[in-house]
């Protein structure tokens, strides 16, 4: 068995393993459509390897050669379909399938050219290069944020396209690709070509698997951080995202403020109207927060009836306007499940990050300001202007204890 034959068998096995891997990923919602297209591409890759391996048994190899070309080009088109689904780009099915038909016809007719003709070699290889660059264009067009793995994918697609474009010249330098299709697998070029194909196919597949698994893990993490009732971040999710926001604001020297809100007399709502009505109250308040907070703000439900918001780029005055707006809107909003004339209120505590403080300091001061709002009769907004404000909370607490005596 020649070296090229051995590489071809390896390609067949690897394509099967990769197809199975993508199908396994496709069982998860986050990777279903992209992974299925990628799996179908590697199934076609298996078919291509099988056809290539069988070519020596044909006395007239024109049809199997053209079929192998069409199947492999179809595999790259399916791969591009998976890329498009992954990156949220409309798959260019019509132009790609038209290109498949035209180039397959061209490959059929160039079989009449001399075997070592550069034109013949280029007609066979350049369509593969074109599909790799099409894949690059799909990732480039995506409006999704591109991370390091996505940039590496773009570089790898470009390199793969260039290796296909260079193959006619590699074949010429190595003495051609065999005197006839049956002799192809015995040529030095076949060994180089199949080896390059294995390296790039495996690299692209492993990178795409890493990207899809990354997305699946991100989706799982996102779901674990979301409070199902309010649709906002839960306490753990809020803390993680808020710490990052505070860190970024500190690094950039931008203002950042925290608002903590508490629904007034929420227990009496549950006791008087039932927990279903209490759930509607939470949903109503969460909806107001979601509408008022811009995309770069962090909003979470950090307790039963307690909410927190990190306002990046906002100072104390802007945070107070935000809180007052929510307070007035909530107080005027009817809630499904409550009597038409029943309105709910909320209390707010606000703090702005000071130099030398961290997230925990900011949250503590906002919570202290909320405590002041509750002691002021609720349905109001109180602010912490600096770290010394905590003393006021201590004094109020001491006064309340003394009053009980």
């Amino acid at each position: 068995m020649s070296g090229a034959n051995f590489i071809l068998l390896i390609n067949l096995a690897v394509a099967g393993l990769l197809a199975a891997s993508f199908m396994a990923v496709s069982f998860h919602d986050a990777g279903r459509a992209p992974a299925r297209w990628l799996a179908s591409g590697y199934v076609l890759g298996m078919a291509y390897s099988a056809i290539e391996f069988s070519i020596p048994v044909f006395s007239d190899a024109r049809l199997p050669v053209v079929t192998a070309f069409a199947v492999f080009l179809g595999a790259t088109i399916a791969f591009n379909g998976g890329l498009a689904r992954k990156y949220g780009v409309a798959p260019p099915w019509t132009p790609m399938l038209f290109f498949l038909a035209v180039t397959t016809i061209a490959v059929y007719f160039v079989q009449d050219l001399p075997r070592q003709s550069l034109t013949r070699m280029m007609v066979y290889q350049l369509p593969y290069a074109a599909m790799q660059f099409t894949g690059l264009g799909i990732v480039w067009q995506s409006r999704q944020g591109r991370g390091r793995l996505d940039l590496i994918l773009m570089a790898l697609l470009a390199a793969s396209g260039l290796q296909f474009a260079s193959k006619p010249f590699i074949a010429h330098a190595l003495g051609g690709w065999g005197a006839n299709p049956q002799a192809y697998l015995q040529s030095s070029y076949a060994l180089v070509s199949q080896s390059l194909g294995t390296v790039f196919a495996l690299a692209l597949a492993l990178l795409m698997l890493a990207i899809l698994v990354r997305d699946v893990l991100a989706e799982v993490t996102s779901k674990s951080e979301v409070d199902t009732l309010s649709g906002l971040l839960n306490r753990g999710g809020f803390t993680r995202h808020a710490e990052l926001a505070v860190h970024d604001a500190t690094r950039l020297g931008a203002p950042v403020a925290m608002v903590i809100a508490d629904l007034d007399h929420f227990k009496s709502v549950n006791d008087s109207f039932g927990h279903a009505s209490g759930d509607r109250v939470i949903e109503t308040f969460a909806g107001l927060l979601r509408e008022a907070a811009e995309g770069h703000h962090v909003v979470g439900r950090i307790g039963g009836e307690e909410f927190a918001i990190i306002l990046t780029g906002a100072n104390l005055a802007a945070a107070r306007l935000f809180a007052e707006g929510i307070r007035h809107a909530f107080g005027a909003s009817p809630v499904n499940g409550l009597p038409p004339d029943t309105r709910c209120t909320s209390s707010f505590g606000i703090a702005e990050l000071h130099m030398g403080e961290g997230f925990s300091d900011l949250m503590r001061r906002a919570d202290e300001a909320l405590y002041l709002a509750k002691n002021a009769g609720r349905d109001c907004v109180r602010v912490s202007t600096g770290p010394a404000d905590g003393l006021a909370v201590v004094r109020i607490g001491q006064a309340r204890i003394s009053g009980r005596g």
Side-chain angles (χ1 to χ4, degrees):
M1 179 182 291
S2 69
N5 273 307
F6 183 70
I7 296 295
L8 203 57
L9 286 175
I10 292 176
N11 286 349
L12 181 64
V14 167
L17 290 172
L18 293 173
S21 299
F22 282 115
M23 283 305 297
V25 174
S26 75
F27 294 140
H28 194 286
D29 287 343
R32 180 169 297 171
R36 285 184 176 176
W37 279 109
L38 294 169
S40 67
Y42 283 95
V43 168
L44 288 173
M46 293 176 63
Y48 163 78
S49 297
I51 295 169
E52 284 277 303
F53 199 77
S54 69
I55 285 177
V57 305
F58 290 90
S59 57
D60 182 1
R62 178 188 292 253
L63 186 58
V65 165
V66 174
T67 302
F69 167 84
V71 168
F72 191 75
L73 191 61
T76 64
I77 289 172
F79 186 90
N80 286 346
L83 285 179
R85 296 296 186 189
K86 161 63 189 78
Y87 288 97
V89 176
W93 294 123
T94 300
M96 287 195 299
L97 293 175
F98 178 76
F99 185 74
L100 171 63
V102 170
T103 53
T104 300
I105 293 171
V107 166
Y108 179 85
F109 284 108
V110 297
Q111 300 302 304
D112 295 325
L113 294 176
R115 174 74 178 168
Q116 307 307 328
S117 165
L118 186 61
T119 300
R120 177 173 174 164
M121 295 182 194
M122 293 181 72
V123 168
Y124 195 91
Q125 295 293 340
L126 290 185
Y128 300 146
M131 283 298 102
Q132 298 295 280
F133 288 120
T134 299
L136 172 61
I138 287 171
V139 182
W140 179 269
Q141 291 175 46
S142 173
R143 295 183 179 180
Q144 299 176 7
R146 288 191 288 268
R148 184 177 300 176
L149 290 180
D150 307 295
L151 295 177
I152 294 173
L153 175 63
M154 293 172 67
L156 193 56
L157 285 167
S160 181
L162 290 174
Q163 65 96 14
F164 278 118
S166 68
K167 279 187 175 181
F169 305 100
I170 294 174
H172 181 73
L174 294 177
W177 52 349
N180 53 54
Q182 293 83 352
Y184 163 71
L185 291 177
Q186 308 303 318
S187 67
S188 298
Y189 166 72
L191 179 61
V192 172
S193 178
Q194 294 298 328
S195 299
L196 282 173
T198 300
V199 169
F200 278 99
L202 189 57
L204 285 169
L206 292 177
L207 189 54
M208 281 306 302
L209 278 171
I211 289 172
L212 291 178
V213 170
R214 176 199 66 185
D215 293 349
V216 168
L217 292 176
E219 184 190 36
V220 170
T221 301
S222 176
K223 287 181 177 179
S224 72
E225 292 181 340
V226 174
D227 172 61
T228 54
L229 176 59
S230 66
L232 305 177
L233 292 170
N234 57 29
R235 188 179 186 93
F238 174 80
T239 300
R240 188 176 78 84
H241 288 277
E243 286 177 339
L244 291 173
V246 169
H247 177 269
D248 290 343
T250 303
R251 180 173 54 84
L252 297 172
V256 60
M258 175 179 278
V259 177
I260 296 183
D262 187 84
L263 305 184
D264 299 332
H265 306 295
F266 182 72
K267 184 177 184 301
S268 66
V269 173
N270 283 332
D271 292 343
S272 302
F273 305 105
H275 288 278
S277 295
D279 289 349
R280 301 294 84 74
V281 172
I282 287 175
E283 289 173 344
T284 300
F285 190 79
L288 291 172
L289 290 179
R290 193 181 302 106
E291 291 175 6
E294 298 178 14
H296 59 283
H297 297 325
V298 183
V299 187
R301 181 187 177 201
I302 60 174
E305 64 271 19
E306 195 170 8
F307 300 80
I309 308 98
I310 286 288
L311 300 171
T312 52
N315 58 20
L316 204 60
R320 179 155 196 164
L321 286 174
F322 175 91
E324 290 286 7
I326 295 294
R327 186 178 71 85
H328 285 289
F330 183 59
S333 299
V335 178
N336 291 334
L338 298 185
D341 59 343
T342 300
R343 294 292 184 269
C344 299
T345 61
S346 50
S347 302
F348 295 80
I350 303 170
E352 181 181 355
L353 187 70
H354 283 242
M355 185 177 296
E357 286 188 318
F359 168 74
S360 59
D361 302 307
L362 180 64
M363 189 167 190
R364 173 183 54 78
R365 290 199 297 108
D367 195 53
E368 290 169 353
L370 175 63
Y371 190 85
L372 292 172
K374 290 179 179 179
N375 280 277
R378 294 182 171 84
D379 192 21
C380 62
V381 177
R382 291 294 181 266
V383 301
S384 171
T385 57
D389 286 357
L391 296 175
V393 177
V394 173
R395 286 196 292 269
I396 289 173
Q398 290 173 342
R400 292 182 65 191
I401 293 171
S402 299
R404 292 194 188 114

